[in-house]
Amino acid sequence: MADTTDQGGKPFVTDIEHETLENTNFRTTLWTGTHLQLTVMNIPAGGDIGLEVHEENDQFLRVEQGRGRCEMGPEEGNLNFVRDVADDDIILVPAGMWHNVTNTGDDDLKVYALYGPPDHEPGTVHPTQEDAEADPHEH
């Protein structure tokens, strides 16, 4: 990753596969616009994104590397949609749907995510999941 500064508000072109695979932070926000946001994530073996719900945001995730388990459902305690995911799979999360993605492989799980509208503060970088959980701007 050459520049981790959020490039939102101006035109942006990048090699998303390279950006995703080179990212070593839990979450790095690459671009935040008015209606869309792009982040890359690195989930270590045994780790997860963290169970969450975005009431106003649809979300698209693509797995660039690794293996994981996607769980979704209408309530925090009812994750009745479970799918294994791997390289090149996408995950579409409707607004209001509880979800989590857990790394079930031995290597880092590398994903990129698009949120519509943006979910994180522009320029957000969370080196670790603990940093993300401690961020007062996160849900």
Side-chain angles (χ1 to χ4, degrees), residues 23-100:
N23 175 53
T24 58
N25 292 317
F26 176 73
R27 176 183 297 114
T28 300
T29 303
L30 296 179
W31 192 89
T32 303
T34 303
H35 303 286
L36 193 65
Q37 184 172 58
L38 170 64
T39 66
V40 290
M41 297 188 75
N42 179 39
I43 314 303
D48 64 4
I49 288 175
L51 183 60
E52 60 185 1
V53 64
H54 308 290
E55 294 296 342
E56 304 296 324
N57 308 75
D58 290 320
Q59 187 177 12
F60 166 100
L61 298 101
R62 178 183 158 95
V63 177
E64 284 293 340
Q65 173 186 294
R67 294 189 330 248
R69 173 157 296 124
C70 170
E71 299 174 277
M72 285 190 261
E75 300 168 340
E76 186 174 5
N78 182 15
L79 304 178
N80 56 7
F81 179 92
V82 179
R83 299 289 188 279
D84 290 329
V85 294
D87 297 11
D88 302 328
D89 285 341
I90 66 164
I91 302 165
L92 294 171
V93 183
M97 184 72 59
W98 284 90
H99 59 284
N100 194 7

